Amino acid sequence: MTSDVNVAHAAGPGTRPESKFRSYLRLGKLDVFDYYIGILVVSAAVLLPTAAVAPGTVPMLLLFLVGEICTIVAMVALDDVTGYRDGSDIENYGPNNPLRKKLRKPLVAGTLTEAEAMRFAWITAGAGAILWAGAIAVAPHRPLWTVVLIAATYVISLQYSYGMKLSYHGFQEAFLVALGVALVFGPYGLATGEFSGFLLVQAVLFGMGPLMFGVYSNTNDVEGDRAVGRPTVAALTSPRGNAIFIGALSAGEFVLVATASLTGVAPWWFAVLMLPATILRARQYYLGFGRGDIMRARKLGFTVHRMYVALLVLANLLIGLGVLA
């Protein structure tokens, strides 16, 4: 009954605002592809020079990517189920927050039932497990640390806001970075069998991207998160404390890049190459906390992340092609 009322509220009596297929796409957040493009960073690092590419590398990368998509789709679907059950999504996407699009939350909009969402989550979770197992099976290298990393990433992802509900115990921000690191370093380990300090720097920068639009979302969602006891930094601190935290994260990206170049972990020119993204990150902070436009700052965060990815790919291509070392 509640679902029917929500659908009618979203689209008018007797109508359905969109197809079931579209609602499932929304549930899986497939329009937000920013974790998936990490495979481009890895590919640029391991597919050049072509003479050094081990057999099985390309199939492994493809299987890992599709498994990654399935696993993250399951994770965000379970997150929506939990947010619907505890009321935080209703608070954040309800009539009191007209800037948020209710249809992005199919359970709140009533375009999917809870049972449908759970079925979708477990089917995609199962597919993710099979595909990642296949990626490991065909990989040219299977170092134990990489296999453990991928297995842990899978299990913990499904516990993010369901089951153990890690994001409800103060681990949300750390998880967002760690997931990005694993999605870059996991396939890199399977492709090369080696640890690379430079790739670790790239993986951390990649993981910082989702974090840096996540913390702006948390800033906007602070009341809903506090209401259900979800302890994000924004919910636990004052507005000033949250601004200092996000400012420190923004500055930390630059410090990481500069330190990597200065210490020789990354090429000397790496910090220079990353400057456009660094400048845009500063712009994001000014927009959010200088101008007070949190949602525009969040949107800019996607652009910053994608710029970082493009520059990381370029860095790896320059090295792989022997243009710069």
Side-chain angles (χ1 to χ4, degrees), residues 40 50 59 69 72 75 78 134 140 175 188 209 238 264-265:
L40 299 176
T50 55
I69 293 171
I72 293 178
M75 179 187 78
L78 291 172
F175 171 82
Y188 179 80
S238 65
V265 172

Side-chain angles (χ1 to χ4, degrees), residues 32-251:
V32 181
F33 53 82
D34 293 86
Y35 270 125
Y36 311 141
I37 56 179
I39 204 71
L40 299 176
V41 177
V42 181
S43 298
V46 303
L47 295 181
L48 291 174
T50 55
V53 178
T57 298
V58 173
M60 178 276 293
L61 291 172
L62 292 174
L63 285 169
F64 190 92
L65 172 60
V66 182
E68 169 187 337
I69 293 171
C70 290
T71 300
I72 293 178
V73 162
M75 179 187 78
V76 298
L78 291 172
D79 182 68
D80 271 18
V81 170
T82 299
Y84 178 71
R85 286 176 177 175
D86 66 24
S88 60
D89 279 352
I90 296 173
E91 174 70 24
N92 293 329
Y93 287 81
N96 294 328
N97 198 340
L99 294 178
R100 308 300 290 271
K101 295 180 179 179
K102 184 180 289 188
L103 284 174
R104 286 191 58 78
K105 294 288 183 177
L107 292 173
V108 176
T111 57
L112 291 176
T113 66
E114 191 175 319
E116 288 172 330
M118 288 299 298
R119 189 181 310 117
F120 175 79
W122 291 125
I123 289 172
T124 52
I130 293 169
L131 288 161
W132 270 0
I136 293 170
V138 303
H141 303 278
R142 288 180 287 276
L144 180 60
W145 65 267
T146 304
V147 175
V148 171
L149 175 65
I150 293 170
T153 300
Y154 177 80
V155 172
I156 294 172
S157 293
L158 300 183
Q159 304 296 317
Y160 173 66
S161 57
Y162 192 82
M164 293 176 64
K165 296 184 180 180
L166 296 175
S167 66
Y168 284 70
H169 298 286
F171 296 100
Q172 184 183 119
E173 291 83 5
F175 171 82
L176 292 175
V177 178
L179 179 59
V181 171
L183 294 178
V184 170
F185 227 60
Y188 179 80
L190 293 179
T192 67
E194 299 176 351
F195 176 89
S196 165
F198 183 35
L199 257 294
L200 180 59
V201 169
Q202 294 186 53
V204 172
L205 286 174
F206 179 78
M208 288 290 290
L211 172 65
M212 293 306 294
F213 47 76
V215 291
Y216 285 88
S217 290
N218 291 343
T219 301
N220 184 76
D221 295 347
V222 62
E223 296 304 325
D225 288 337
R226 282 175 178 165
V228 301
R230 196 170 195 174
T232 65
V233 171
L236 293 173
T237 63
S238 65
R240 183 172 183 272
N242 183 51
I244 291 172
F245 171 69
I246 295 176
L249 291 177
S250 303

Side-chain angles (χ1 to χ4, degrees), residues 1-10 12-15 109-111 113:
M1 185 65 167
T2 301
S3 295
D4 293 338
V5 171
N6 286 335
V7 169
H9 180 75
T15 64
T111 57
T113 66

